[in-house]
Amino acid sequence: MIPQQQKPPIIWLNVALFTLTFAIAVIGVPLYLYFYHLDVALIAMTVVAFCYCGMSITAGYHRLWAHQSYQANRFLRLVFALGGAFALQNSILHWCSDHRVHHRHVDHNLKDPYSAKMGFFYSHIGWMLRHYQASRYHDYSNCSDLQNDPIVVWQHKYYFLLAAMMNIGIPVIIGLLLGNVLGALLFIGVLRLVLSHHTTFFINSLAHKWGTQPYTDRNTARDNGVIAWLTFGEGYHNYHHIFENDYRNGIRWWQFDPTKWLIKSCSWLGWTTNLKVTSADRIEKTRAKMEFMRLQYQFKTLPNNSARLLQLQYEYEALISKISDYYQVKKRLIDLQQQKLANDYENFEFMQQYESIKQKLNQQRRDWKYLVQQYTV
């Protein structure tokens, strides 16, 4: 950790914001519930506002602007820009600049803005309480592409005005409609903000501390389904850190990733385009390589390990080879079906070849899975 005498100046505005909003939420909400009845409509609107803020950060700030994992029309970009101001996590330009530095220098104590190696508190909120990154605070040279987006430039220029309008105006308007301005300011204004802040901060802290590393152990990022439920799908963070340009974080149908579902749904309306997806063979090979490296390290610590290491190497190379064969044939099959170039006999022969290669791959997957389970402790 940084010695006390070398710590940079405190950012008092951030300290006051995080302290006061948290205190009001922790003290004010229980007192309100004690003295007033629970308004279902108010709770519903708080949840809606929370989801709007969260999705504006994940789908907008993160996957759209920071990683360019898809493109969105002007309307959707405007919606996300306003939602980002509502979430009160700085402008798109500033947020994305920090995040791109984080990916480029992940876990580097001096360069990663919210390095997990600096401890849970630092990566969660501490990095925003002092001028740790003062030398590059207004350096947006890594976001030159975003500076060509008029909505990004507009939101950055008027960020504080937009943030004030969204965080005060929306709760007041909803409060007037519900006939409960005090409750709206407390729940939609403060409680929603605190929840939005800390669940988003979990991606920088918890998602680098708690979970599995199925794709890479070269950084601290983890996959965790529980965190995904709290962060609109961002909990599959190990996957994200190695395939950062994929518009998905949860790649399985059963993984909770509402941000992915929103982006995909908007593509059916023509609101989103150019959705980037990592190829299935690359994902499978990356996961297999991670398992291979772990077993290889484990086998090297065992006595009389030569036979085990040879078997491991053989099974791994066989798996990688069959994965390549299968996806090459599958791609050709899709091309033939789309172009309708093959006659019925050629299709029949090719389908037989495809099924044969598929069966061989599935058998090799089972052999590999058995090997991994047998020696994983």
Side-chain angles (χ1 to χ4, degrees), residues 6-223:
Q6 295 180 9
K7 284 187 176 180
I10 295 172
I11 306 175
W12 288 109
L13 177 61
N14 288 0
V15 172
L17 173 68
F18 293 134
T19 302
L20 288 175
T21 54
F22 186 80
I24 292 171
V26 170
I27 299 171
V29 170
L31 286 175
Y32 180 91
L33 294 175
Y34 179 79
F35 288 106
Y36 301 94
H37 71 280
L38 183 62
D39 189 336
V40 177
L42 179 61
I43 298 300
M45 292 306 299
T46 303
V47 172
V48 170
F50 170 72
C51 292
Y52 174 41
C53 289
M55 297 287 260
S56 294
I57 297 297
T58 59
Y61 276 40
H62 190 206
R63 302 190 201 186
L64 172 61
W65 282 302
H67 293 294
Q68 302 280 296
S69 63
Y70 70 100
Q71 299 298 315
N73 65 9
R74 182 180 293 270
F75 168 73
L76 202 57
R77 298 202 319 273
L78 178 61
V79 169
F80 289 153
L82 293 174
F86 195 18
L88 206 62
Q89 293 186 32
N90 222 315
S91 71
I92 298 165
L93 194 60
H94 192 98
W95 195 101
C96 292
S97 178
D98 279 344
H99 192 71
R100 290 180 179 182
V101 172
H102 165 66
H103 271 264
R104 185 175 181 181
H105 302 290
V106 60
D107 297 332
H108 192 296
N109 285 0
L110 298 178
K111 295 181 179 180
D112 183 350
Y114 29 88
S115 171
K117 293 291 184 71
M118 297 289 285
F120 178 86
F121 179 79
Y122 179 90
S123 61
H124 187 75
I125 195 172
W127 68 280
M128 293 176 285
L129 303 183
R130 292 178 180 273
H131 285 288
Y132 291 105
Q133 303 291 325
S135 61
R136 53 159 299 276
Y137 192 80
H138 295 293
D139 179 9
Y140 305 127
S141 58
N142 62 347
C143 291
S144 58
D145 55 319
L146 300 185
Q147 295 179 58
N148 294 322
D149 186 332
I151 290 178
V152 172
V153 174
W154 169 77
Q155 195 239 30
H156 182 73
K157 182 178 181 179
Y158 298 107
Y159 173 74
F160 289 105
L161 176 61
L162 292 171
M165 289 173 60
M166 296 296 290
N167 281 274
I168 298 173
I170 287 182
V172 169
I173 291 171
I174 295 176
L176 290 171
L177 292 173
L178 297 177
N180 186 359
V181 175
L182 175 63
L185 285 171
L186 180 59
F187 281 82
I188 301 172
V190 180
L191 178 63
R192 178 271 320 164
L193 181 61
V194 171
L195 293 176
S196 179
H197 274 164
H198 289 280
T199 51
T200 304
F201 299 165
F202 281 155
I203 303 166
N204 301 335
S205 55
L206 274 183
H208 281 264
K209 294 287 186 182
W210 179 31
T212 60
Q213 294 182 299
Y215 300 101
T216 180
D217 62 358
R218 298 181 68 178
N219 57 67
T220 57
R222 303 293 204 270
D223 276 5

